Amino acid sequence: MTLVKIAYASNTGNTEGISEHLEEAFEALEMEVVREIADDIDEDFFEDADIAVVATFTDGDGELPTDFEEFYEDIEEVDLSGKVFGVVGSGDSELYADYFCEAANMFEQMLVKTGAKKGAETLKIENDADDDDIEAIKAFAKQLVEATN
Ligand SMILES: Cc1cc2nc3c(=O)[nH]c(=O)nc-3n(C[C@H](O)[C@H](O)[C@H](O)COP(=O)(O)O)c2cc1C
């Protein structure tokens, strides 16, 4: 069975909600899913995954959430070749136009360095997920699963 692991960080709940939609979308595709908050994981989290998903909001002026900083730095040393990855960002393009979902961009670049294959374009969501975003999350999950074949 294909194992999907989702790591997320969330301050005010938007990205947590997104991570729940991701979990449901992968479960609907009959994947086994493990979803963990950034605080509870270390850099070996994705080592047994077939699909690695990061869901992150952006803090400061284009900064990673504090909870993800250590994981982000440590994952650079991890070999995730043979796995598929995808990143979902939550941000605010009106208040932070110059840095919209910058943390998601940073994770995408970092995960490329691990040797994992990008299975779908990074999905950027305006704050919390609306109905259209939920459909986009389903399509994103489907693409990642197809990329493992
Ligand atoms: C202090 C602060 C800084 C932020 N900086 C950015 C930013 O640089 N880029 C961006 O796209 N969104 C930024 N945002 C918006 C949040 O990323 C966005 O509201 C997100 O949905 C919060 O996710 P959460 O509810 O999971 O914590 C910022 C929000 C706050 C409160």
Side-chain angles (χ1 to χ4, degrees):
M1 199 171 184
T2 305
L3 176 61
V4 182
K5 287 187 125 179
I6 302 167
Y8 73 96
S10 187
N11 255 353
T12 61
N14 294 343
T15 319
E16 182 170 33
I18 289 166
S19 75
E20 288 166 359
H21 291 303
L22 281 163
E23 181 170 21
E24 283 168 21
F26 282 110
E27 282 175 352
L29 297 167
E30 297 184 346
M31 303 290 113
E32 186 184 348
V33 184
V34 173
R35 185 174 61 92
E36 291 282 359
I37 197 158
D39 240 5
D40 291 349
I41 59 171
D42 53 29
E43 72 276 13
D44 64 8
F45 179 64
F46 287 136
E47 275 181 357
D48 60 346
D50 301 294
I51 298 177
V53 180
V54 168
T56 182
F57 68 99
T58 299
D59 210 350
D61 284 337
E63 288 161 29
L64 290 171
T66 311
D67 287 355
F68 254 145
E69 280 173 0
E70 199 178 328
F71 180 74
Y72 175 84
E73 280 161 24
D74 293 348
I75 208 173
E76 184 164 15
E77 307 299 325
V78 178
D79 179 8
L80 297 180
S81 49
K83 303 179 191 305
V84 167
F85 82 85
V87 179
V88 180
S90 170
D92 186 327
S93 68
E94 280 182 30
L95 291 178
Y96 300 93
D98 292 344
Y99 306 102
F100 181 54
C101 287
E102 190 56 31
N105 296 335
M106 290 168 71
F107 258 113
E108 178 184 322
Q109 285 162 20
M110 183 56 90
L111 286 161
V112 166
K113 285 189 199 168
T114 68
K117 176 173 97 173
K118 188 171 86 169
E121 284 307 314
T122 294
L123 182 59
K124 295 178 180 175
I125 292 175
E126 202 68 57
N127 295 304
D128 58 339
D130 63 17
D131 288 348
D132 288 345
D133 295 320
I134 293 169
E135 290 309 309
I137 286 169
K138 288 180 187 167
F140 172 87
K142 191 161 174 261
Q143 264 189 288
L144 291 189
V145 171
E146 285 169 0
T148 62
N149 296 327

